[in-house]
Amino acid sequence: MASNPMAGLVAGSHTRNELHVMHASEENRSPTRQSAPKTCRVCGDEIGLKESGELFVACHECGFPVCRPCYEYERSEGNQCCPGCNSRYKRQKGCPRVAGDEEEKFDVDDFEDEFQIKNRYDDNPDQNHVTARSEHGDYNQQPWHLNGPGSFAGSFAEKDLEGEKEAYTSAEWQERVEKWKIRQEKRGLVTKDDGGNDQGDEDDFLLAEARQPLWRKVPIPSSKISPYRIVIVIRFIVLGFFLRFRILTPANDAYPLWLISVICEVWFAFSWILDQFPKWCPITRETYLDRLSVRFEREGEPNRLAPIDVYVSTVDPLKEPPIITANTVLSILALDYPVEKVSCYVSDDGASMLLFDSLSETAEFARRWVPFCKKYAVEPRAPEFYFNQKIDYLKDKVQPTFVKERRAMKREYEEFKVRINALVAKAQKKPEEGWVMQDGTPWPGNNTRDHPGMLQVYLGSEGALDIEGKELPRLVYVSREKRPGYNHHKKAGAMNALVRVSAVLTNAPFMLNLDCDHYINNSKAVREAMCFLMDPQLGKKLCYVQFPQRFDGIDRHDRYANRNIVFFDINMKGLDGIQGPVYVGTGCVFNRQALYGYDPPVSEKRPKMTCDCWPSWCCCCCGGSRKSKSKRKGEKRSLFSGLYTKKKKMMGKNYVRKGSGHVFDLEEIEEGLEGYEELEKSSLMSQKNFEKRFGQSPVFIASTLKEDGGLPEGTSSASLVKEAIHVISCGYEEKTEWGKEIGWIYGSVTEDILTGFKMHCRGWKSVYCMPKRPAFKGSAPINLSDRLHQVLRWALGSVEICLSRHCPLWYGYGGKLKWLERLAYTNTIVYPFTSIPLLAYCTIPAVCLLTGKFIIPTLNNLASIWFLALFLSIIITGVLELRWSGVSIEDWWRNEQFWVIGGVSAHLFAVFQGLLKVLAGVDTSFTVTSKAAEDEDFGELYLFKWTTLLIPPTTLIILNMVGVVAGVSDAINNGYGSWGPLFGKLFFAFWVIVHLYPFLKGLMGKQNRTPTIVVLWSVLLASIFSLLWVRIDPFLPKQTGPLLKQCGVDC
């Protein structure tokens, strides 16, 4: 971690050449360590040497780089085949025998060495060292020795074993070791006579665990997923025959209604296909945190876990209470992760002194809260939610001092809340002269639309220590510069400013972004993500790890589907089986290089298998020239710093990445070009393009070239502070690719969908991580009006993307986006347009009841079969989907209801607002969703706020109710024969009313009172519509031919 660059508030503007620093200390950075080549492609360790001094080669067929421990583990525990060419590993000298070796030849000397190998290694312990390489370029010399036939054991101390055994009871731990020994005995690697060394067995077991993958893919059982797929195919076929019947059999007496209904049904079928087929291959994933710890946190060695920068974004502290933001920050500072590798950046896009002072109080309280959390391993580590838990907090807590310290901590937290609430009360009324800081200087952000950039580091290596004298994670306050006349791009612009300022100050290779109301519920959440991001095979290809969103404070029945369980537990699992889940805006750990617009590393293709039946010239013609050409191309090096290891292709241009090195002033690159060849000149001159791409900051550009993170050499605290102020200036992004190809992408209020889509188009993959304990929890708007406004904002962003150049229907076809992933992204941007046919379809039942007509003619036997088959397939699909996903039927039904409620209200308005914005240039502003600081018996659930979004669904309810009354009255008047056709109409009308029931319940409120304006508008619209249809087509049957009247004569 970097040192604390400043101890006071720093404010400045690069454009105005201003920099005000309270006081800052300079400190040189420690040099970053370089990486070395020739590493194992399985575990990341360096490939050792054989006894003869030659490089160890596991497979002589293809030469795939694998170290000796992985080679022996693959032979003993795996499938005994090379990962490169799939040929069977041959036994090498000194290696233990496994099943299948009997067929191979061996000599007596080798057989004898097999039983002397242990003593030979024990006699020369200093000669056996393996260079252990971390995932981020760190190398550590670690002694290894053979503990027995066919197994390596590192320098594990007894403390390692105890830490590993903490998660198990003594009986469970012994059972795991015994099971492992039994597996070894079955393979002939260990005999029962060798079981005297229990500590050695545990060492071997731990090492075997460390060599195994950090995660595994858990497919859905075939007994659950196969029937689901079969029913999907059947439903697809039935749907085709049903639409064929509907199109070929029009209702002549109600042709307009029939035509509208058929168009709606075709659109619904298209929407179902977009939603259903990306769920064809759902998977779940399982992580192994114990293996992560054994591999990267070895006793007596530097911790090799990757650093991480955590971003928290907030805008208005009055709508997003500071106590909620403080709890989120406290949960980050108390993470179960090395403190020197965690930095928390809080973005204040409202330049509020209230948040600034609140973070100061939070930093002081963290000095007591963080050591308490880590001492007693409490969960969650957000104090507000920890102390409000209605559970037995004494469970699994055996320390006698826990109760006393918990009471003291709760008392201190209540005092902390009083201080925060006092700041909030003070901030309600702004002084005429503006806010003044404690030292008497005016607050730089008094004008929220015209203020300099501000930085403040509260905690860090030079900041305050906790009450036990230990270091705390870094906490940084950031408020980017704002000036009139600039487009600041709302949340996306604020996130990009955090990316740049964190790259200058800490430059961690991974970043976690959270909304201010999403606290960390699982202190091991970052470790869960690192199981994927630090994986030697998958990690370099991942752009992000997405966690599901979970929420607190929602009523038990989840009336408005706030939990969104169907999306997070069904759709996202399906996407994880394709190219990865979409980015949902929070609870996501990013790979920094993916946000910089780099392409993922290209995997080395396995060499093609050849046979002796083809002449050698044939193989040469097929691939020899191309291979040699690529090899010659790969030998050319860049001369920019002399330390570049490879080239990266970024968006059609070749840019160079470097592992580590000094900071260069880009203006000096052109000097001394006379002595180089033409190719070398172009390589050096291409570095000038970095300024056009990333902006005018040499320090930031140098940080982008460091794939494994870390700060450049030779930088000082003062220079870093100046650069940090520079990169958050309002004009920094001008004439650059920020927001276009780099960072969070601009152009939509739902920047999350757009950002993830661009990464997937470049070929990156993402992963969906669902730990047993939810990683993050947040608050959701539980009253109807706020929920609809939230859905409106999401839908408006989707419409903006659909009408932009980034629409998945036509963008990125030359990239590496998979077709099913494209279908999923298409579904995320076209779903608001479903509101138009949905509104029409919900109106048709009322029209049919009022007019006596129907959209379906008289059914024959075949047509009845298709109708019945379609309804059964819909029901069975839903049941089987719930079966493999584990979602409850109540959550599924709430999702179906709110699909209709949101579709006829928020989605409908989003379509028209999006069209106005794109076609007419009429911009619509959205409001920040309010976050409740406290929730007492879900009082906010019944809070009613007037909004025009309530008019369409209310009108639909009244229309259908009037239609039901009119239809039943008409059937009673016309006799028994009219009841049969009535049932179909009543079924569709009740379908609409039942789906809108939660809306009706929310509209009535707790006291069953509805605002007069809603009633007036809805009754007015429903009455006008009903009277219009009555005037056109009344209930009385129309007569044709001459008008016959009774003559009065008895004929």
Side-chain angles (χ1 to χ4, degrees):
M1 293 292 291
S3 60
N4 189 348
M6 61 273 189
L9 176 67
V10 180
S13 172
H14 180 78
T15 56
R16 302 187 179 186
N17 198 20
E18 299 174 353
L19 182 66
H20 305 283
V21 184
M22 301 295 291
H23 56 279
S25 60
E26 296 190 11
E27 181 179 328
N28 293 331
R29 303 284 174 187
S30 59
T32 57
R33 288 169 286 191
Q34 299 184 8
S35 60
K38 219 52 183 171
T39 58
C40 174
R41 292 284 298 277
V42 177
C43 65
D45 290 350
E46 184 184 351
I47 299 176
L49 303 178
K50 296 192 292 188
E51 296 178 6
S52 60
E54 300 176 355
L55 183 69
F56 176 78
V57 180
C59 178
H60 293 283
E61 299 291 337
C62 66
F64 188 80
V66 174
C67 64
R68 184 170 186 132
C70 292
Y71 159 78
E72 295 191 355
Y73 179 81
E74 182 67 25
R75 276 173 45 85
S76 62
E77 300 285 342
N79 57 11
Q80 304 180 7
C81 293
C82 171
C85 61
N86 288 327
S87 59
R88 188 183 185 277
Y89 274 139
K90 294 183 179 180
R91 178 174 175 268
Q92 299 193 16
K93 184 177 180 180
C95 295
R97 298 186 178 280
V98 297
D101 286 345
E102 293 78 9
E103 302 174 1
E104 300 179 4
K105 297 180 180 180
F106 63 93
D107 52 16
V108 179
D109 295 336
D110 186 31
F111 183 76
E112 185 179 350
D113 288 340
E114 181 179 352
F115 296 95
Q116 296 178 357
I117 187 170
K118 180 177 179 180
N119 296 330
R120 183 170 68 250
Y121 274 82
D122 289 341
D123 293 340
N124 301 282
D126 297 333
Q127 297 178 3
N128 305 287
H129 289 79
V130 177
T131 305
R133 178 187 183 273
S134 75
E135 297 298 321
H136 304 280
D138 297 338
Y139 280 78
N140 297 295
Q141 292 293 331
Q142 177 187 357
W144 292 81
H145 61 274
L146 277 172
N147 233 15
S151 62
F152 272 78
S155 57
F156 292 97
E158 187 175 354
K159 186 175 181 180
D160 283 331
L161 300 176
E162 295 301 326
E164 178 68 16
K165 290 189 285 186
E166 283 183 0
Y168 305 93
T169 63
S170 58
E172 291 174 343
W173 175 260
Q174 192 63 29
E175 182 180 357
R176 286 192 71 188
V177 176
E178 288 300 327
K179 287 182 179 179
W180 175 78
K181 289 169 64 178
I182 292 173
R183 290 198 304 268
Q184 299 295 90
E185 290 174 6
K186 288 181 179 179
R187 292 177 171 87
L189 303 178
V190 178
T191 62
K192 294 184 179 180
D193 297 337
D194 297 335
N197 187 1
D198 293 338
Q199 184 63 39
D201 290 340
E202 292 187 348
D203 284 351
D204 293 343
F205 173 71
L206 277 180
L207 185 61
E209 287 283 297
R211 288 293 177 187
Q212 293 190 27
L214 300 176
W215 63 275
R216 75 182 183 98
K217 190 182 296 184
V218 184
I220 306 298
S222 58
S223 60
K224 295 181 179 180
I225 197 65
S226 296
Y228 176 68
R229 291 171 178 168
I230 293 172
V231 173
I232 290 176
V233 175
I234 294 175
R235 179 176 173 182
F236 183 74
I237 296 172
V238 170
L239 186 60
F241 282 101
F242 171 78
L243 292 177
R244 179 179 177 274
F245 162 76
R246 293 283 289 122
I247 294 172
L248 296 179
T249 56
N252 296 320
D253 60 336
Y255 193 84
L257 294 178
W258 167 85
L259 182 62
I260 294 174
S261 66
V262 169
I263 294 174
C264 294
E265 288 163 2
V266 171
W267 179 267
F268 294 152
F270 170 71
S271 178
W272 173 76
I273 292 174
L274 291 180
D275 180 68
Q276 188 65 62
F277 279 90
K279 296 185 285 190
W280 185 262
C281 301
I283 62 170
T284 56
R285 299 179 190 266
E286 190 176 84
T287 57
Y288 302 101
L289 301 183
D290 51 350
R291 297 175 186 174
L292 180 78
S293 180
V294 170
R295 185 178 296 184
F296 296 105
E297 296 181 292
R298 293 171 178 166
E299 180 69 18
E301 298 180 11
N303 192 301
R304 297 184 295 145
L305 289 174
I308 186 169
D309 293 335
V310 186
Y311 303 153
V312 179
S313 57
T314 180
V315 179
D316 188 350
L318 296 180
K319 291 186 177 180
E320 301 166 326
I323 192 64
I324 297 296
T325 305
N327 273 271
T328 301
V329 171
L330 289 170
S331 68
I332 295 170
L333 299 179
L335 269 172
D336 183 7
Y337 208 72
V339 292
E340 70 276 6
K341 296 180 181 289
V342 178
S343 299
C344 177
Y345 293 84
V346 180
S347 170
D348 179 15
D349 223 29
S352 169
M353 188 173 171
L354 171 59
L355 181 62
F356 180 82
D357 291 338
S358 299
L359 284 183
S360 179
E361 293 287 349
T362 303
E364 180 63 27
F365 179 72
R367 297 178 61 242
R368 297 171 175 81
W369 172 250
V370 172
F372 170 78
C373 292
K374 295 187 175 182
K375 181 178 180 181
Y376 297 108
V378 301
E379 296 282 0
R381 300 190 176 182
E384 179 71 24
F385 303 95
Y386 169 69
F387 291 120
N388 288 341
Q389 288 184 117
K390 297 179 181 180
I391 61 173
D392 182 13
Y393 62 87
L394 296 178
K395 185 179 181 180
D396 300 329
K397 300 293 187 297
V398 296
Q399 297 93 330
T401 59
F402 172 70
V403 175
K404 181 179 179 181
E405 291 193 25
R406 184 184 185 278
R407 290 174 180 171
M409 185 55 61
K410 186 175 183 180
R411 191 162 49 246
E412 291 189 18
Y413 176 66
E414 294 297 332
E415 295 174 356
F416 167 72
K417 288 176 64 176
V418 170
R419 294 193 296 270
I420 295 295
N421 292 333
L423 293 174
V424 174
K426 181 181 177 182
Q428 297 297 323
K429 186 177 181 181
K430 184 178 180 180
E432 295 182 359
E433 64 278 6
W435 299 109
V436 180
M437 302 177 67
Q438 292 182 358
D439 58 357
T441 57
W443 172 245
N446 276 321
N447 187 344
T448 57
R449 298 185 178 180
D450 187 3
H451 64 84
M454 292 178 282
L455 286 177
Q456 168 74 57
V457 175
Y458 293 96
L459 301 173
S461 54
E462 287 186 2
L465 304 177
D466 63 23
I467 57 175
E468 297 179 357
K470 296 179 181 179
E471 182 183 346
L472 289 169
R474 170 175 299 216
L475 175 59
V476 184
Y477 169 87
V478 181
S479 182
R480 57 179 174 148
E481 181 185 16
K482 286 190 175 182
R483 302 297 180 191
Y486 286 91
N487 188 354
H488 300 290
H489 300 288
K490 301 177 181 177
K491 180 182 177 180
M495 296 305 299
N496 285 336
L498 286 181
V499 171
R500 295 192 296 270
V501 74
S502 64
V504 171
L505 297 180
T506 51
N507 196 33
F510 303 114
M511 305 170 293
L512 165 63
N513 90 288
L514 296 173
D515 288 342
C516 66
D517 62 323
H518 272 72
Y519 66 91
I520 297 180
N521 183 64
N522 184 350
S523 62
K524 298 183 183 295
V526 173
R527 292 178 179 268
E528 297 275 355
M530 291 303 166
C531 286
F532 300 103
L533 294 169
M534 298 186 70
D535 182 83
Q537 296 293 328
L538 179 67
K540 299 299 181 182
K541 302 176 183 179
L542 287 184
C543 53
Y544 57 81
V545 176
Q546 178 66 61
F547 292 85
Q549 292 186 20
R550 302 296 189 227
F551 300 97
D552 284 321
I554 297 177
D555 60 303
R556 183 169 59 90
H557 299 290
D558 193 14
R559 181 185 296 175
Y560 307 123
N562 282 285
R563 294 190 178 94
N564 221 349
I565 293 293
V566 172
F567 174 75
F568 286 112
D569 287 15
I570 297 180
N571 295 65
M572 296 288 269
K573 284 182 180 180
L575 291 177
D576 199 18
I578 309 173
Q579 195 174 346
V582 298
Y583 168 45
V584 297
T586 184
C588 186
V589 181
F590 281 96
N591 182 344
R592 187 182 286 271
Q593 297 300 316
L595 276 175
Y596 287 160
Y598 288 106
D599 284 350
V602 179
S603 302
E604 296 181 5
K605 294 184 178 180
R606 297 180 179 179
K608 295 183 178 180
M609 300 293 289
T610 59
C611 60
D612 297 336
C613 59
W614 291 95
S616 59
W617 60 265
C618 179
C619 300
C620 296
C621 294
C622 293
S625 61
R626 180 177 295 181
K627 183 177 180 180
S628 60
K629 182 179 179 181
S630 61
K631 185 176 181 181
R632 288 194 302 269
K633 184 178 179 181
E635 291 175 354
K636 296 174 182 178
R637 301 282 182 174
S638 170
L639 300 177
F640 177 54
S641 65
L643 293 174
Y644 292 116
T645 58
K646 58 183 175 179
K647 281 195 173 186
K648 278 288 183 179
K649 185 179 180 183
M650 293 195 317
M651 306 310 294
K653 299 179 180 180
N654 286 332
Y655 289 86
V656 186
R657 299 261 295 277
K658 69 177 183 177
S660 61
H662 298 280
V663 180
F664 290 85
D665 192 354
L666 296 180
E667 285 77 2
E668 299 175 358
I669 297 174
E670 301 179 18
E671 300 178 2
L673 292 179
E674 293 79 5
Y676 298 121
E677 299 177 359
E678 190 65 28
L679 177 65
E680 296 167 346
K681 287 183 181 180
S682 62
S683 178
L684 288 173
M685 290 301 296
S686 67
Q687 310 311 318
K688 293 289 291 182
N689 294 327
F690 278 93
E691 286 186 328
K692 298 179 181 179
R693 186 171 178 83
F694 293 108
Q696 302 277 339
S697 173
V699 175
F700 175 73
I701 292 175
S703 70
T704 65
L705 301 174
K706 299 178 71 64
E707 182 179 359
D708 299 326
L711 295 174
E713 297 178 7
T715 55
S716 63
S717 298
S719 63
L720 292 180
V721 172
K722 187 175 181 180
E723 283 298 319
I725 292 294
H726 172 34
V727 297
I728 60 174
S729 59
C730 56
Y732 182 84
E733 295 182 356
E734 287 188 345
K735 298 180 180 180
T736 67
E737 295 188 12
W738 282 100
K740 302 172 185 176
E741 302 293 340
I742 303 173
W744 272 257
I745 306 301
Y746 304 149
S748 171
V749 294
T750 53
E751 70 287 332
D752 45 6
I753 297 293
L754 198 52
T755 302
F757 174 63
K758 295 276 285 187
M759 293 182 188
H760 283 137
C761 285
R762 297 189 190 106
W764 290 94
K765 297 179 180 179
S766 57
V767 161
Y768 195 52
C769 182
M770 295 182 64
K772 293 181 179 180
R773 180 180 179 85
F776 311 100
K777 282 190 175 182
S779 60
I782 64 173
N783 71 76
L784 180 60
S785 301
D786 284 347
R787 173 65 168 151
L788 289 177
H789 275 290
Q790 184 187 56
V791 174
L792 171 64
R793 185 171 74 249
W794 294 344
L796 178 60
S798 295
V799 174
E800 290 173 346
I801 297 174
C802 184
L803 301 177
S804 71
R805 71 182 185 92
H806 291 117
C807 178
L809 292 173
W810 51 73
Y811 181 84
Y813 275 96
K816 303 175 183 178
L817 187 68
K818 296 184 178 180
W819 280 99
L820 285 179
E821 192 81 10
R822 184 179 296 277
L823 278 183
Y825 272 110
T826 303
N827 185 43
T828 61
I829 58 101
V830 302
Y831 77 89
F833 294 93
T834 307
S835 60
I836 298 175
L838 182 62
L839 180 66
Y841 211 71
C842 291
T843 309
I844 287 176
V847 175
C848 292
L849 288 168
L850 291 172
T851 60
K853 299 177 181 179
F854 199 39
I855 58 176
I856 301 175
T858 304
L859 298 177
N860 54 30
N861 293 334
L862 182 61
S864 301
I865 292 175
W866 291 127
F867 268 92
L868 183 62
L870 180 62
F871 283 114
L872 286 178
S873 64
I874 292 174
I875 295 172
I876 296 174
T877 303
V879 171
L880 293 178
E881 198 169 70
L882 300 182
R883 183 168 173 256
W884 67 255
S885 65
V887 175
S888 67
I889 190 171
E890 183 180 15
D891 290 324
W892 178 83
W893 174 238
R894 291 301 187 200
N895 182 79
E896 292 294 314
Q897 287 180 315
F898 197 78
W899 175 73
V900 176
I901 295 172
V904 298
S905 58
H907 297 173
L908 184 67
F909 278 75
V911 170
F912 289 107
Q913 288 186 12
L915 292 173
L916 286 174
K917 182 176 182 180
V918 174
L919 301 179
V922 179
D923 195 4
T924 55
S925 60
F926 68 91
T927 58
V928 178
T929 307
S930 300
K931 279 77 176 178
E934 293 181 0
D935 185 20
E936 297 180 0
D937 299 329
F938 310 109
E940 193 180 345
L941 177 65
Y942 307 101
L943 181 64
F944 189 91
K945 301 177 182 178
W946 159 247
T947 172
T948 53
L949 298 177
L950 304 176
I951 295 177
T954 307
T955 303
L956 280 178
I957 291 178
I958 296 176
L959 264 179
N960 281 274
M961 287 183 174
V962 171
V964 169
V965 174
V968 173
S969 301
D970 185 55
I972 294 174
N973 293 332
N974 291 338
Y976 178 79
S978 59
W979 282 99
L982 179 65
F983 283 126
K985 305 171 189 177
L986 290 179
F987 174 80
F988 286 109
F990 278 117
W991 181 89
V992 175
I993 295 172
V994 169
H995 277 78
L996 292 177
Y997 176 72
F999 173 84
L1000 179 63
K1001 196 172 181 179
L1003 195 67
M1004 302 306 292
K1006 191 173 184 179
Q1007 292 80 23
N1008 296 330
R1009 290 182 300 178
T1010 304
T1012 308
I1013 189 170
V1014 176
V1015 177
L1016 289 177
W1017 269 102
S1018 302
V1019 171
L1020 179 63
L1021 291 177
S1023 301
I1024 292 174
F1025 192 82
S1026 303
L1027 292 174
L1028 181 63
W1029 276 104
V1030 170
R1031 177 69 181 87
I1032 295 175
D1033 196 0
F1035 295 146
L1036 297 176
K1038 295 182 179 179
Q1039 295 181 350
T1040 58
L1043 182 62
L1044 301 177
K1045 293 184 179 180
Q1046 189 174 1
C1047 62
V1049 179
D1050 189 8
C1051 299

